[in-house]
Amino acid sequence: MTHATTAEQQIDQRIVDIKLDDRSYPIVIGSGLFDDPSVWSSAGEGNCAAIVTNATVGPRYVAALERAVSHRFKRVINIELRDGEKFKDAASLNQIFDGLLSGRADRKTVLFALGGGVVGDMTGFAAACYMRGVPFVQVPTTLLAQVDSSVGGKTAINHPLGKNMIGAFYQPRLVVADLDTLSTLPAREFAAGLAEVIKYGPILDLRFLDWIEANIDALISRDTEALGYAIQRCCELKAEVVAKDEHETDVRAVLNFGHTFGHAIETGAGYGVWMHGEAVGCGMVMAADLSARLGMISEAYALRLRTLIKRAGLPVVGPRLGADRYIELMRSDKKSEAGEIRFVLVNEHGQASIRSAPDAMARQVIDANC
Ligand code: NAD
Ligand code: GLY
């Protein structure tokens, strides 16, 4: 749904609702959102807010966010983390707790996660833990975070032995995705976000896949209309899945298309060497290849997905870690059961399923794509 705010502003806002009983919340998508007070009304108000960001995003957007929310809170604490996936760890989490405790943040303090998926995941986890849970708001500033990580309540930090292994399901009370922030996003980070946009097509909505193929150039050139629609559609699709299976006991796992191979790439190459979205893009190429080898899709469909991922500016050949290392890393994936690797695989009707595959076949996929 799209609506205009005040007549003077004439800003189109798209709103997607996450429906989870008393944990329901809106995602507001649009331009100029930092300047529209009505957008922040469900952020809460009170004594204290804390903005958690990083050294790259903070200098660009903290002042605008502070202006947007400072009239709602008596004081605002700023916490600036180091930038990078390799700092998505216990030390950074502790830095958030240090900032909150030394700033005397009470249990009604609202945390604002200003940044990409790394800041969002860590701030969400800090909010879940601090004084056994304080409210938080996601203010995603990367495409990946706007279409995926800020929505649905997965929060985590990495462990040296595995990605996102320490975390919690904890929903924000509001998500504000301002399209204007994407103007400063470097091309590589933007492409990484496109991987998660593409992901939604083959697993949930073939018409959306057609739309992405037809509009990939508009998306790459950051056309606001195209971006607004893509972010809205991704959030709608994710909202449907999360409403059915918040804690990933079942269907939510389809959102991990490309992630089994992708997490192995990210962990195996060393956190931060491959961006999460890049690894997912390449992981989708490999998962599509595996789907084709299992007879679930044609080679032509697998090639169609590979071509789109490549057009988005993403790598389609994985790092040469060796098949043994890939298999070892994939065995510790959260979807594994009794040591058996489980993959999200697709058919040609825009549907996904979770299946195991013979190790020998997974090795063929690795050898053919890395
Ligand atoms: P990121 O948070 O590292 O951001 C990428 C880079 O862009 C960083 O250097 C960041 O500082 C910079 N940046 C952010 N916004 C910017 C802006 N507007 N202008 C200029 N630079 C900007 O990476 P990401 O791709 O946003 O997120 C990846 C993370 O998200 C991974 O840790 C992944 O595990 C996680 N993730 C979580 C979920 C979930 O459901 N919780 C889903 C997908 C991914
Ligand atoms: N990004 C996958 C999920 O939220 O379930």
Side-chain angles (χ1 to χ4, degrees):
M1 113 198 50
T2 302
H3 75 265
T5 55
T6 62
E8 308 81 62
Q9 286 170 316
Q10 285 299 314
I11 299 165
D12 271 348
Q13 288 174 14
R14 299 161 185 268
I15 304 197
V16 178
D17 290 309
I18 299 288
K19 295 189 179 127
L20 289 169
D21 302 321
D22 60 343
R23 283 157 294 107
S24 299
Y25 54 93
I27 304 163
V28 188
I29 302 155
S31 287
L33 303 184
F34 290 112
D35 298 322
D36 181 352
S38 67
V39 166
W40 304 91
S41 55
S42 52
E45 54 195 358
N47 257 334
C48 185
I51 299 176
V52 183
T53 187
N54 70 24
T56 306
V57 179
R60 292 181 164 95
Y61 299 111
V62 130
L65 179 57
E66 233 181 298
R67 268 198 311 277
V69 302
S70 56
H71 66 282
R72 312 187 69 84
F73 300 93
K74 287 195 186 128
R75 60 197 180 92
V76 178
I77 300 169
N78 282 301
I79 300 171
E80 190 179 280
L81 307 174
R82 286 184 288 183
D83 182 8
E85 182 76 34
K86 63 177 182 292
F87 300 114
K88 188 180 173 183
D89 59 7
S92 297
L93 187 68
N94 247 329
Q95 194 189 331
I96 302 177
F97 297 143
D98 289 347
L100 294 172
L101 287 164
S102 62
R104 299 181 321 281
D106 61 21
R107 67 184 343 164
K108 290 193 173 154
T109 300
V110 181
L111 269 53
F112 288 79
L114 175 68
V118 170
V119 166
D121 279 13
M122 285 197 290
T123 308
F125 189 39
C129 300
Y130 187 69
M131 295 197 178
R132 303 199 179 92
V134 292
F136 86 112
V137 173
Q138 288 273 17
V139 189
T141 62
T142 64
L143 180 58
L144 182 139
Q146 295 188 353
V147 300
D148 193 356
S149 64
S150 66
V151 174
K154 276 191 183 176
T155 73
I157 55 169
N158 297 330
H159 187 279
L161 295 180
K163 212 181 131 53
N164 293 335
M165 283 296 172
I166 318 293
F169 287 97
Y170 194 68
Q171 301 294 340
R173 59 160 54 156
L174 169 70
V175 180
V176 179
D178 192 319
L179 299 173
D180 299 343
T181 61
L182 300 181
S183 65
T184 54
L185 197 61
R188 184 175 170 201
E189 277 75 2
F190 189 82
L194 286 175
E196 299 278 13
V197 174
I198 292 168
K199 172 187 85 175
Y200 288 99
I203 59 168
L204 291 166
D205 186 354
L206 266 196
R207 285 178 58 196
F208 186 47
L209 179 63
D210 294 340
W211 182 91
I212 299 167
E213 283 175 327
N215 290 277
I216 189 75
D217 293 332
L219 289 170
I220 291 169
S221 64
R222 307 187 196 192
D223 174 84
T224 309
E225 265 308 303
L227 274 176
Y229 173 70
I231 295 165
Q232 176 186 358
R233 188 68 195 128
C234 293
C235 290
E236 285 169 351
L237 289 164
K238 185 157 183 181
E240 278 174 35
V241 173
V242 170
K244 281 187 202 142
D245 180 24
E246 182 182 4
H247 295 130
E248 196 173 309
T249 52
D250 182 20
V251 293
R252 183 165 178 170
V254 302
L255 296 174
N256 292 326
F257 180 46
H259 287 56
T260 313
F261 290 108
H263 281 169
I265 291 174
E266 266 189 284
T267 308
Y271 294 136
V273 177
W274 278 62
M275 294 204 65
H276 177 74
E278 292 173 334
V280 166
C282 193
M284 288 192 290
V285 172
M286 295 167 82
D289 183 349
L290 186 55
S291 306
R293 285 172 200 262
L294 286 163
M296 298 171 67
I297 59 172
S298 62
E299 281 180 21
Y301 187 79
L303 181 62
R304 178 184 171 191
L305 297 182
R306 186 181 197 276
T307 303
L308 179 58
I309 291 161
K310 198 166 176 198
R311 278 180 73 198
L314 290 157
V316 289
V317 177
R320 294 181 72 92
L321 308 174
D324 286 347
R325 179 76 176 129
Y326 269 96
I327 298 286
E328 179 195 348
L329 287 164
M330 291 193 297
R331 275 199 210 293
S332 61
D333 184 84
K334 287 194 280 308
K335 288 186 299 305
S336 290
E337 282 177 13
E340 186 180 69
I341 305 167
R342 291 162 62 73
F343 299 92
V344 180
L345 302 172
V346 288
N347 65 22
E348 293 196 19
H349 307 292
Q351 293 160 336
S353 53
I354 325 295
R355 286 182 51 172
S356 54
D359 259 21
M361 202 178 270
R363 284 172 185 277
Q364 284 167 3
V365 168
I366 293 158
D367 290 341
N369 292 282
C370 300

